[in-house]
Amino acid sequence: MEDKSNFILPNNQRFVELDSSQAFTNLTKKEKLYAHYLSQSAWNGGLIVLVQTSPESPRIFSLLHRIFIGEPLEELKTSALKAGASEDDFQAFLVYAGGIFANSGNYKGFGDTKFIPNLSKESFELIVKASKAYENDGTHLTKLWQNTQNAIYSLAPRLTSLGLANKGITTYFSSNCTEEDSNLVNDWMKTKRIEAYICRTFKTVADDGLPIYTIHYASVETTPKTPITMEKEKYKNAYFQVTRGDYSPLLKLVNDNLSKAIDYAANDNEKNMLKHYINSFREGDLNEHKEGSRYWIKDKGPIIETYQGFIETYRDPSGQRGEFEGFVAVVNKEMSKKFGRLVEGAERFIKLLPWGEDLEKDTFLRPDFTSLDVLTFSGSGIPAGINIPNYDEIRQNEGFKNVSLGNVIPAAYKESVIPFLSESDKQLLEKYRVAAFEVQVGLHELLGHGCGKLLRQNADGTFNFDKEKVKNPLTGGKIESWYTEGETYDSKFTTLGSAFEECRAEAVGLYLSLVPEILKIFGYEGQEADDVMYVNWLSLLWNGAAKATEMYQPSTKTWLQAHARARFALMRLLEDEGVLTVTEVDPGKNLLLNLQRDRLATDGKKIIGEFLVKLQTIKATGDAAAGERLFARYSDPSPAWARWRDIVLLHKQPKNIFVQPNTRCTEDGDVELTRYPASAEGMVRSWVARFPDAAVDEALEQLAEADRKHFEELHQLAA
């Protein structure tokens, strides 16, 4: 049986405030209204992630939310203690709720492992039954509790993490789908040139006994409409059909708010962007979202930045279906100036990368690169930087944007303990960690994700590279593989795609952080620049050892998080080459990492440079099999690391949970920002104010009920 302590959020779970009050205060009334309606849209859309995470998440949210909107927390606490729950029980109940709200479900947004309440089922039930909500509608709350209690607490092996078939749970596929099903669906979608960002896939059986795969699109509209939806057709001894209407009631709330935001947009690019998003969400048309993204790229340097939709594919076991996210942020002008200078030098800096011009984009599409203070970020977690859109054809040919989320970085790094380092390294890390991470985010997003060409054969048979001249840097011979029409990086690299690309971007960050001119852009020179560079390498490799290893699941031999796998691979590469040494200083209890600082600019640069040539060549030529071989070598834990993972878990600390503010329209037509304390109570209060009534609970329960038939096996496992 799994050790329960790995699956709970402790009572002393750290909550931190995501503070954007200063940036918000400086906005005009019109800008505040624009930000307000965009935030409302993002928060309503974020509820979709509950449906995308686990079959039980929408109902767990509804149960907790109904309890909290029913009465003030003080009164709930008094009743709970009176009913026999302890102070610790009540705190655990609030922390669990904070976890559900922050991760949009009962699996961690970073790491994809399940978390369960840190109080007994009996105590949880006492609190439910002591609530005003239970007193007012006992029948409904009893039903919600009965429908979720086993799923809340079960740690049956398949239920402990997200994954496909016996590797875990997912709601992107019905629970009867296997990897073979996923591959077959992928093949059929390729023949139709359909990308999977906005769909889920459900498998049922036809009257003649053959499987039917339903590709179900996210949209407000639920009725068939060609060419978006497709009638049933046969392919490789199975039937396929495309329907729409997934998450319909929630997407309607998204569109209602986006429509209101249009009135306060600053320019036509923003208005057009929002109109296309609305069309996309209404119809279930991915091309409309792409069109909106084109206007988004054109909207350079806006005061209020937003992007909303089905974006990142990390949590789909096949790496192609997008999770909903929505962010609204205010540009931080000072930090943005530094990123602007980085963009200005980008063409020069890209030439320093080791793979040569044949594997580089023909022209570098200068992106907008800004530092933002996040006002609202909905979804399953908040990253520190983003490079979007993710659509290959737009990124390669039209452009992209980079953002660094400036107020996330310091808040994410409020860590009390840093294990496995010498005292001097620890002090340097504490001093320069935020500075180094800002540099790494800049390089990772702009020059990492933003560089590198995909070699492609066009529909007319021509190529986007000279087949006679361009050589494969790894073999010295001709290029023998490339992308054909309808193939994308995600559809070729599937489950490996995210980790492989994150590794490439992280390695670019390490490689270019050795360049003094780049550090100077961020304001660091001389000894301080050297310290920031060293801390950048140290921080990433420490992360690969001390944090990433938590995200590996030995029982299924899978990585649960792409960035973690990427950092672990880089750490193992440098450990293999002797630039990093890891010693078990206290057997079974403690490790010591030692990074040879004096070798980074020489051996370190050479090792990372050679590795980057491999990563970029494999990506450019679409050689997923070579990618799998390379990654197996560095990201499959060695016997020592399989053992050291237990030591890492002994020192494990829960990830900080962000408490975000709310915006509210006042009677005089202005917008006010409400902040909440950085605590479990503050977190719960912020969500009560965000959704003051049970309308969203009704919608979520309705969606969970409609999906129930697709996840019968999982309900039985939890029973």
Side-chain angles (χ1 to χ4, degrees):
M1 185 61 199
E2 292 271 11
D3 176 4
K4 257 193 185 155
S5 67
N6 289 333
F7 297 94
I8 55 171
L9 302 179
N11 277 20
N12 63 352
Q13 163 71 45
R14 194 189 297 230
F15 289 82
V16 294
E17 183 190 10
L18 193 58
D19 181 11
S20 53
S21 51
Q22 202 179 342
F24 187 78
T25 312
N26 296 332
L27 297 176
T28 65
K29 190 165 163 179
K30 184 182 175 188
E31 287 162 353
K32 285 179 181 173
L33 283 159
Y34 184 58
H36 168 71
Y37 287 115
L38 290 173
S39 294
Q40 292 296 305
S41 158
W43 284 123
N44 280 288
L47 298 173
I48 290 170
V49 181
L50 292 157
V51 184
Q52 292 182 303
T53 298
S54 72
E56 64 273 10
S57 286
R59 286 195 171 100
I60 298 174
F61 178 95
S62 176
L63 173 69
L64 294 167
H65 183 248
R66 285 173 187 276
I67 288 170
F68 294 132
I69 59 174
E71 64 193 307
L73 276 182
E74 297 71 29
E75 291 175 23
L76 176 63
K77 183 175 182 177
T78 306
S79 309
L81 296 181
K82 212 151 115 191
S86 69
E87 292 266 357
D88 279 351
D89 288 337
F90 192 74
Q91 178 64 13
F93 185 78
L94 294 183
V95 167
Y96 178 71
I100 295 288
F101 297 150
N103 294 283
S104 299
N106 59 339
Y107 287 76
K108 289 178 188 169
F110 194 89
D112 294 349
T113 45
K114 184 171 184 175
F115 58 94
I116 63 172
N118 190 20
L119 70 163
S120 70
K121 200 185 271 191
E122 294 69 31
S123 299
F124 198 104
E125 184 168 318
L126 279 179
I127 299 173
V128 171
K129 291 188 169 171
S131 70
K132 197 65 149 207
Y134 183 83
E135 190 185 310
N136 294 341
D137 191 356
T139 320
H140 193 77
L141 258 78
T142 300
K143 189 176 160 199
L144 272 175
W145 171 239
Q146 283 172 347
N147 270 328
T148 53
Q149 57 177 331
N150 291 336
I152 287 174
Y153 278 93
S154 174
L155 287 176
R158 183 177 169 187
L159 304 183
T160 55
S161 64
L162 301 181
L164 190 61
N166 58 354
K167 286 192 172 173
I169 74 139
T170 178
T171 61
Y172 289 110
F173 292 89
S174 52
S175 58
N176 56 356
C177 283
T178 61
E179 201 165 322
E180 290 72 37
D181 293 314
S182 164
N183 293 338
L184 180 61
V185 169
N186 196 18
D187 288 348
W188 180 78
M189 288 175 83
K190 268 187 200 168
T191 67
K192 296 290 177 193
R193 308 252 160 95
I194 297 175
E195 286 177 84
Y197 283 104
I198 61 171
C199 76
R200 294 194 293 159
T201 299
F202 303 125
K203 174 181 158 187
T204 49
V205 181
D207 296 339
D208 61 6
L210 293 180
I212 303 183
Y213 297 99
T214 301
I215 315 295
H216 195 40
Y217 283 159
S219 68
V220 177
E221 296 295 339
T222 56
T223 52
K225 179 184 183 179
T226 46
I228 294 170
T229 61
M230 294 184 201
E231 294 286 317
K232 195 167 78 173
E233 67 166 55
K234 205 168 181 181
Y235 173 81
K236 289 190 180 173
N237 224 18
Y239 296 108
F240 289 82
Q241 61 184 11
V242 178
T243 58
R244 63 178 183 168
D246 213 356
Y247 328 117
S248 173
L250 297 176
L251 284 169
K252 186 176 182 315
L253 297 171
V254 169
N255 275 357
D256 291 348
N257 285 293
L258 290 179
S259 303
K260 290 176 185 164
I262 290 177
D263 296 340
Y264 304 102
N267 55 51
D268 285 345
N269 279 330
E270 289 179 358
K271 286 179 180 158
N272 286 323
M273 161 187 91
L274 294 177
K275 283 174 186 163
H276 284 290
Y277 290 167
I278 290 167
N279 290 345
S280 165
F281 299 147
R282 186 180 63 243
E283 299 295 334
D285 186 345
L286 183 64
N287 287 324
E288 280 291 310
H289 197 272
K290 289 181 176 180
E291 205 46 46
S293 299
R294 291 185 170 101
Y295 282 107
W296 180 67
I297 298 167
K298 289 175 193 158
D299 187 28
K300 300 272 188 194
I303 303 292
I304 306 285
E305 187 58 284
T306 188
Y307 195 64
Q308 306 195 18
F310 297 86
I311 316 297
E312 300 296 351
T313 57
Y314 302 124
R315 295 178 100 191
D316 166 22
S318 76
Q320 297 175 72
R321 288 156 189 78
E323 180 175 83
F324 192 93
E325 74 178 40
F327 74 81
V328 184
V330 185
V331 171
N332 175 325
K333 294 201 171 106
E334 276 314 297
M335 192 64 190
S336 296
K337 278 182 195 156
K338 294 178 187 175
F339 289 134
R341 289 198 287 276
L342 193 64
V343 173
E344 281 160 27
E347 279 102 330
R348 281 202 322 286
F349 301 141
I350 283 178
K351 290 197 174 99
L352 302 175
L353 291 169
W355 50 71
E357 61 183 5
D358 288 337
L359 297 188
E360 196 39 74
K361 290 178 185 169
D362 303 338
T363 49
F364 178 72
L365 302 160
R366 278 195 176 198
D368 208 17
F369 196 166
T370 45
S371 176
L372 307 176
D373 284 340
V374 174
L375 175 67
T376 298
F377 206 116
S378 74
S380 64
I382 309 182
I386 320 175
N387 171 296
I388 33 184
N390 284 335
Y391 308 123
D392 277 353
E393 70 274 34
I394 297 181
R395 290 162 78 93
Q396 289 274 325
N397 307 319
E398 297 170 54
F400 54 90
K401 273 188 188 180
N402 281 291
V403 296
S404 171
L405 306 178
N407 59 340
V408 172
I409 296 171
Y413 272 162
K414 286 184 175 165
E415 256 177 77
S416 46
V417 214
I418 303 174
F420 313 143
L421 291 180
S422 69
E423 210 39 58
S424 57
D425 275 351
K426 205 178 288 186
Q427 283 172 359
L428 270 176
L429 196 65
E430 280 172 346
K431 185 172 180 184
Y432 288 115
R433 193 178 194 182
V434 170
F437 196 60
E438 282 173 345
V439 173
Q440 179 69 5
V441 166
L443 296 173
H444 171 117
E445 300 295 347
L446 173 69
L447 302 166
H449 292 314
C451 69
K453 180 173 181 170
L454 300 183
L455 303 181
R456 178 177 289 290
Q457 182 175 22
N458 304 313
D460 61 6
T462 59
F463 289 84
N464 71 346
F465 64 101
D466 186 332
K467 265 186 80 187
E468 298 312 308
K469 283 196 188 138
V470 176
K471 298 279 182 277
N472 180 322
L474 304 182
T475 62
K478 285 188 173 177
I479 299 290
E480 290 176 358
S481 59
W482 46 79
Y483 294 78
T484 56
E485 184 65 10
E487 288 185 325
T488 64
Y489 173 73
D490 277 348
S491 74
K492 274 183 98 70
F493 282 77
T494 64
T495 50
L496 176 68
S498 292
F500 197 82
E501 175 58 14
E502 291 307 329
C503 190
R504 198 181 67 98
E506 291 286 39
V508 166
L510 291 180
Y511 193 79
L512 291 177
S513 69
L514 294 163
V515 179
E517 189 192 344
I518 287 175
L519 293 164
K520 191 175 174 181
I521 286 174
F522 287 90
Y524 308 112
E525 294 185 75
Q527 183 58 43
E528 190 172 39
D530 203 57
D531 285 343
V532 169
M533 177 279 294
Y534 173 65
V535 168
N536 188 40
W537 283 61
L538 180 66
S539 176
L540 191 137
L541 300 171
W542 175 81
N543 221 298
K547 287 284 188 203
T549 334
E550 287 175 27
M551 305 295 171
Y552 180 73
Q553 197 179 43
S555 57
T556 57
K557 294 190 165 56
T558 44
W559 282 92
L560 300 169
Q561 215 288 325
H563 297 77
R565 186 179 180 188
R567 289 168 189 154
F568 183 81
L570 289 168
M571 184 274 299
R572 287 283 297 116
L573 168 73
L574 287 158
E575 189 195 4
D576 253 16
E577 299 283 352
V579 176
L580 174 78
T581 51
V582 183
T583 322
E584 192 171 343
V585 283
D586 187 353
K589 290 189 181 150
N590 210 349
L591 303 171
L592 180 66
L593 271 66
N594 182 33
L595 179 61
Q596 296 185 15
R597 183 171 180 159
D598 55 347
R599 291 178 61 193
L600 298 185
T602 51
D603 301 343
K605 180 181 179 180
K606 182 172 178 284
I607 293 159
I608 293 293
E610 287 168 0
F611 195 59
L612 269 172
V613 175
K614 290 178 188 169
L615 293 171
Q616 174 55 23
T617 306
I618 288 168
K619 181 184 179 185
T621 56
D623 191 352
E628 292 286 0
R629 289 193 297 275
L630 181 68
F631 247 56
R633 183 176 165 193
Y634 293 107
S635 71
D636 292 358
S638 61
W641 273 106
R643 199 174 70 247
W644 290 342
R645 180 177 178 271
D646 295 336
I647 298 178
V648 169
L649 288 176
L650 286 178
H651 295 261
K652 177 175 152 175
Q653 282 192 312
K655 213 172 159 58
N656 290 346
I657 288 179
F658 290 109
V659 179
Q660 298 187 57
N662 285 316
T663 53
R664 188 180 71 87
C665 285
T666 57
E667 284 174 10
D668 59 358
D670 209 347
V671 179
E672 65 180 23
L673 186 77
T674 310
R675 295 163 66 182
Y676 301 88
S679 64
E681 293 80 1
M683 183 73 176
V684 169
R685 286 201 180 100
S686 71
W687 279 81
V688 167
R690 202 160 284 148
F691 296 107
D693 60 48
V696 290
D697 303 325
E698 305 281 346
L700 285 164
E701 288 173 38
Q702 185 189 324
L703 291 168
E705 192 49 46
D707 280 356
R708 195 183 167 89
K709 58 182 178 292
H710 298 303
F711 305 111
E712 278 309 330
E713 294 170 40
L714 301 179
H715 295 302
Q716 286 158 15
L717 270 181

